[in-house]
Amino acid sequence: MEKKPHFVRRDFPPREVSSVPLALLLGAILLLNALLYLYLSKFYGSPGRAGTDPGVCSFGYFKLGAGKNCSPWLTCEGINREVRKLKCVGEGAVKKVFLSEWKENKVVLSQLTNSELKEDFLHGLKMLKALQSKHVVRLLGYCEQQFTILTEYHPLGSLRGLNETLHIPRYKGMNTWHRRLMLAIDYVSIIRYLHDSPLGTLVMCDSNDLDKVLSQYLLTSDFHILVNDLDALPLVNRSAGRLVKCGHRELRGEFVAPEQRWPYGDEVPFEDALMPPYDEKTDIWKIPDVSNFFLGHVEGSDIVRLHLFDIHAACKKEDPAERPSAQEVLDTYKRVLTLLIREAAMPGTREML
């Protein structure tokens, strides 16, 4: 009888994974982290640089465009002699805004229109002078006697036109989750700066609805955000027991924070003297709604929202004391941006490790 072949099962030792590809992968990750650090540092800097002058000029001086020399803020005489109005480009309750020209540079001239609101106008000027930084529109001059302020011109205008701008062919490349998240980071950076400003903790009171918020900020040509309107910026001073109220009228709607709404129900008529004051955490309540506008509905924006879900839920806590600080929100936004850029650059990293 013919013998059947006898097969012996052998257990082969596990194949060793070469250490070379793994080392290359880890090196690539380290390099990517370094590049991300440099990239984010370039755009946002460190918290200690929040007050850096945008034009690298001393206080009371400015420079425009490619100019090398710093010029002193224009006075009444300089504005009257050297600035030429071109056309009216906007008008609000406090002031009228003119596109103007100074030494072949486009500038913005703002003039008081309602004498009853001159205190608001002068408060805005005081804030503009004291808060000059990379977060605030550049002041070029002013004339208190004529209630006139001169600032830098930004052709893309206020944030109300962001979506329209992103549909212009030359800017369509900016319409990504990445760029939109960076705008949200800019916005939160400004709130953080105001809450920890050289003057103390300031509250952005001109923010009773989304459209009003967006009108307070400008979009620069390199797609960053500057705060432009500082007329309603009261100071919180907890050590002195000073809180704030944003105006003297009743505020309604889900956009404003719960503590900004009349707490005594419809059966009690609103009375300003009975309205409790509040602090800067009203700004935190509004961050998720403003950021939701920034993120829009582009590819990837829902993934960003998912990563921001927990911090946004914390921002919407009914008790203001339980909401995070602007710094905590900013730190979370930056971590999410770093994480998502890393995953986009090396999508298979987690599986490979």
Side-chain angles (χ1 to χ4, degrees):
M1 177 183 285
E2 183 180 350
K3 285 188 177 181
K4 293 183 180 180
H6 181 64
F7 294 99
V8 179
R9 181 181 174 185
R10 293 182 180 177
D11 291 326
F12 293 96
R15 186 176 59 178
E16 292 187 7
V17 179
S18 172
S19 61
V20 175
L22 183 59
L24 291 174
L25 176 61
L26 292 174
I29 293 173
L30 291 174
L31 177 61
L32 177 61
N33 286 338
L35 291 174
L36 280 171
Y37 175 80
L38 293 173
Y39 176 73
L40 295 174
S41 297
K42 174 186 174 183
F43 277 100
Y44 302 112
S46 62
R49 295 183 60 228
T52 303
D53 187 277
V56 201
C57 295
S58 303
F59 181 80
Y61 290 79
F62 71 91
K63 65 178 180 179
L64 284 179
K68 296 182 179 180
N69 299 322
C70 294
S71 303
W73 286 341
L74 273 67
T75 60
C76 299
E77 180 184 359
I79 292 174
N80 292 333
R81 186 180 66 249
E82 301 175 14
V83 176
R84 181 170 65 94
K85 290 181 185 177
L86 299 178
K87 63 177 179 179
C88 179
V89 292
E91 183 172 3
V94 178
K95 52 187 176 288
K96 185 178 288 189
V97 180
F98 297 89
L99 174 63
S100 304
E101 191 175 56
W102 175 74
K103 294 186 176 179
E104 299 183 351
N105 293 288
K106 295 286 194 307
V107 294
V108 173
L109 188 71
S110 302
Q111 292 184 317
L112 178 69
T113 54
N114 186 346
S115 59
E116 295 180 0
L117 297 175
K118 63 181 181 181
E119 293 303 320
D120 291 341
F121 184 90
L122 292 175
H123 176 74
L125 173 59
K126 176 184 175 182
M127 295 293 105
L128 194 55
K129 289 192 290 184
L131 299 176
Q132 282 295 288
S133 71
K134 65 179 182 180
H135 301 298
V136 179
V137 69
R138 193 170 302 172
L139 179 63
L140 310 181
Y142 62 91
C143 178
E144 287 193 33
Q145 297 93 313
Q146 298 173 8
F147 297 99
T148 299
I149 299 173
L150 193 70
T151 54
E152 187 175 17
Y153 172 62
H154 293 279
L156 296 183
S158 81
L159 288 178
R160 284 189 295 192
L162 173 64
N163 288 324
E164 289 76 11
T165 297
L166 289 171
H167 283 93
I168 296 172
R170 66 180 295 189
Y171 296 117
K172 279 188 175 180
M174 298 287 193
N175 196 17
T176 64
W177 69 262
H178 165 234
R179 179 60 66 169
R180 283 176 171 271
L181 179 54
M182 286 171 62
L183 291 176
I185 290 175
D186 271 357
Y187 169 71
V188 178
S189 297
I190 292 171
I191 298 300
R192 189 212 64 82
Y193 175 63
L194 295 178
H195 288 184
D196 190 26
S197 82
L199 301 177
T201 301
L202 300 167
V203 181
M204 193 64 172
C205 267
D206 262 344
S207 56
N208 298 335
D209 57 64
L210 179 61
D211 192 65
K212 186 64 174 175
V213 170
L214 299 176
S215 71
Q216 309 302 304
Y217 298 87
L218 295 172
L219 181 64
T220 66
S221 297
D222 60 349
F223 268 70
H224 283 283
I225 296 175
L226 299 173
V227 62
N228 180 52
D229 196 330
L230 303 173
D231 294 346
L233 212 60
L235 178 69
V236 170
N237 188 336
R238 285 191 184 81
S239 60
R242 183 194 305 164
L243 299 178
V244 304
K245 288 191 286 188
C246 291
H248 304 287
R249 295 181 295 179
E250 182 178 2
L251 301 178
R252 295 177 178 269
E254 293 298 314
F255 189 83
V256 296
E259 63 271 24
Q260 292 184 281
R261 303 172 209 152
W262 180 242
Y264 304 116
D266 294 335
E267 61 275 9
V268 180
F270 177 81
E271 186 177 340
D272 183 46
L274 297 178
M275 180 67 197
Y278 34 83
D279 62 16
E280 77 280 3
K281 290 298 183 75
T282 58
D283 289 333
I284 304 299
W285 171 273
K286 298 161 188 172
I287 286 175
D289 298 292
V290 180
S291 290
N292 187 54
F293 167 80
F294 285 130
L295 292 176
H297 300 285
V298 298
E299 182 180 356
S301 62
D302 286 341
I303 298 297
V304 179
R305 287 185 179 90
L306 183 63
H307 280 81
L308 297 177
F309 180 85
D310 288 342
I311 192 68
H312 282 174
C315 291
K316 290 294 187 179
K317 295 280 189 181
E318 288 287 320
D319 183 355
E322 295 182 4
R323 295 174 204 154
S325 67
Q327 183 65 63
E328 290 171 319
V329 179
L330 180 60
D331 290 342
T332 302
Y333 274 39
K334 288 183 177 181
R335 281 198 300 271
V336 169
L337 176 62
T338 302
L339 172 67
L340 292 178
I341 291 177
R342 183 185 295 123
E343 290 187 350
M346 302 185 70
T349 300
R350 188 176 301 169
E351 292 77 5
M352 293 171 70
L353 291 176

